[in-house]
Amino acid sequence: MKTTAVYFSPTRGSAKYAIEIAKAISEDFEEIDLTRPENRSREYRFSADDLVVFGAPVYGGKLPLLDQPLFGNILGDNTPAIFTVTYGNREIDDALLEMQEFCENKGFRGIAAAALLAEHTYSDKLAGGRPDKDDLRQAREFASKAVALLNIHIDSSKLHVPGNKPYRESRHMPMLTTTTDKCIGCGSCSRVCPVGAICAEDFAKVDETKCIGCLACLKGCPANARKVAGPDLDIVRNKLEPALAGIHK
């Protein structure tokens, strides 16, 4: 059975889990990184003899809001699938249910699902350093239990995940960044942006209509030369950190 990790992961937390799970199932696993816009524009088809591990972060209780549905070009044919979402200590709300229902409507058959902790996009005090070694060990154990379900042909209708319908309303949540005088002009911020929001000619310019607030540009800057413009990040941190720090250890 060919195993493929399919993920959207601007800051790599979701990717680490999806890859670890896929690798635990098959050393010959493949990857489709939907963080890259050119990969999202391609169509991928899977058969009933494949196994796909899906991974994505939770933004505001939903899957990331993009111009097109995140897994819209991933097509199955009664293909067994494992659904995973990552979150930073708040709540997954409807994201896992959204992933399950969307992918099952695309021809996938869910056999297992997991909500997994990863460092919060906006604060290293919330699930800081996650996933760690113990998280990845548990991910491998989860993979072993999930793949065992293939042998009993579990009915995907029996896979119940948290979430409510109608889903939470998707909200556009930009977190605009800009350059500082540390900028070395390497362009990594523009290259790692999953939605093309950072101008390739002037890295200080960010298209607010495209930005999804993932902060991949800030965390991926080798010179630590980006900062969030305005008070939005501090406002979010001051609200979340006292309430959520230390809940999951």
Side-chain angles (χ1 to χ4, degrees):
M1 174 172 287
K2 186 182 77 174
T3 302
T4 305
V6 177
Y7 56 82
F8 178 86
S9 187
T11 53
R12 301 300 294 174
S14 299
K16 289 177 181 178
Y17 278 119
I19 290 170
E20 195 72 19
I21 292 168
K23 185 178 180 180
I25 296 170
S26 172
E27 285 288 341
D28 284 332
F29 76 99
E30 298 182 358
E31 297 178 47
I32 297 175
D33 183 1
L34 298 181
T35 319
R36 301 176 64 85
E38 64 270 24
N39 290 344
R40 295 199 301 275
S41 67
R42 293 177 54 194
E43 184 177 275
Y44 304 86
R45 291 184 176 272
F46 296 92
S47 74
D49 294 325
D50 293 313
L51 174 63
V52 176
V53 181
F54 288 94
V58 178
Y59 291 166
K62 298 288 297 298
L63 294 180
L65 181 62
L66 305 174
D67 287 342
Q68 296 178 335
L70 176 54
F71 300 114
N73 287 337
I74 311 296
L75 306 175
D77 182 8
N78 197 33
T79 307
I82 297 172
F83 307 121
T84 70
V85 296
T86 56
Y87 70 114
N89 254 24
R90 192 192 70 80
E91 181 56 77
I92 66 168
D93 293 308
D94 304 329
L96 193 53
L97 179 62
E98 181 185 12
M99 177 185 285
Q100 178 194 12
E101 292 193 337
F102 185 86
C103 292
E104 288 183 348
N105 286 334
K106 287 286 184 176
F108 292 90
R109 174 173 58 88
I111 62 168
L116 307 161
L117 278 175
E119 185 173 303
H120 197 286
T121 302
Y122 298 153
S123 172
D124 59 8
K125 294 181 180 179
L126 303 178
R130 311 289 287 273
D132 56 23
K133 289 183 179 179
D134 190 54
D135 292 323
L136 296 179
R137 175 188 60 77
Q138 292 186 56
R140 292 191 295 271
E141 292 175 356
F142 165 73
S144 296
K145 294 176 181 178
V147 77
L149 297 174
L150 287 169
N151 297 323
I152 62 175
H153 302 287
I154 188 170
D155 182 351
S156 62
S157 66
K158 296 181 180 179
L159 179 63
H160 299 293
V161 304
N164 297 287
K165 295 187 71 174
Y167 301 145
R168 290 169 60 96
E169 181 181 356
S170 295
R171 293 181 295 144
H172 179 59
M173 300 185 295
M175 186 66 71
L176 304 183
T177 63
T178 188
T179 56
T180 69
D181 56 10
K182 295 180 181 180
C183 181
I184 58 176
C186 68
S188 67
C189 55
S190 180
R191 291 193 296 273
V192 301
C193 178
V195 291
I198 299 177
C199 178
E201 288 73 38
D202 183 351
F203 308 131
K205 293 182 179 179
V206 181
D207 187 337
E208 183 173 0
T209 65
K210 294 181 178 180
C211 177
I212 60 172
C214 69
L215 295 189
C217 57
L218 186 150
K219 295 185 177 184
C221 176
N224 194 27
R226 292 195 76 84
K227 66 177 182 179
V228 174
D232 289 354
L233 183 58
D234 287 336
I235 291 172
V236 172
R237 284 175 174 168
N238 291 337
K239 179 179 179 181
L240 292 179
E241 287 179 351
L244 301 177
I247 289 179
H248 294 93
K249 294 183 179 180

